[in-house]
Amino acid sequence: MRLKGAIHDKKLCIAFALLISLGYTQEAKLTQVYFDENLTNLQCVKIFVNLVRSSDFDFKAWRGDRSIEWLKDHISFEFDTWDNDKILVRLFFDWQDSTNDEFQGTGTIGFVKYDRQTQKLQDANLETSLRFDTNLTKQLESCE
């Protein structure tokens, strides 16, 4: 139990430091999606993004003084793996200086893993199962 609390405390410290260090001069871009078109199509990607947004991933830990809706609108997705067995995605912020259009960096908040055979979504860092809108699972499996 102490380990879980320590992980939570560490995550809060990282989130706070990230928001403090980047929050004054930089703003998170609206959601960006990065994926290899050889792996799947954009429609399937959009369904998966909505599946993750509907989940009980610990978005609250990363919102700072913003709403959960703002956070979900600004989390970007980088698809690492999309195959018959699993989908692995990095969740992060794309940071940009509000006075400059150049790319400024990213802030990773976690990874999610989806087992396509069992239709289970998991926080890949904490290895905990996540609940989500199961109607999106049906759409995901039929979109390919």
Side-chain angles (χ1 to χ4, degrees), residues 16-33:
F16 182 73
L18 180 66
L19 290 172
I20 293 297
S21 65
L22 297 174
Y24 290 108
T25 60
Q26 297 181 345
E27 184 67 32
K29 293 181 188 178
L30 287 173
T31 297
Q32 304 291 309
V33 177

Side-chain angles (χ1 to χ4, degrees), residues 40 43 126 141:
T40 191
Q43 184 61 32
L126 300 176
E141 295 308 315

Side-chain angles (χ1 to χ4, degrees), residues 4-51:
K4 189 173 184 177
I7 291 170
H8 179 67
D9 291 345
K10 183 177 179 182
K11 191 176 359 174
L12 287 175
C13 288
I14 292 169
F16 182 73
L18 180 66
L19 290 172
I20 293 297
S21 65
L22 297 174
Y24 290 108
T25 60
Q26 297 181 345
E27 184 67 32
K29 293 181 188 178
L30 287 173
T31 297
Q32 304 291 309
V33 177
Y34 304 93
F35 72 101
D36 183 343
E37 292 176 2
N38 294 322
L39 299 177
T40 191
N41 63 60
L42 182 58
Q43 184 61 32
C44 294
V45 167
K46 287 180 180 179
I47 293 168
F48 188 80
V49 166
N50 287 331
L51 185 145

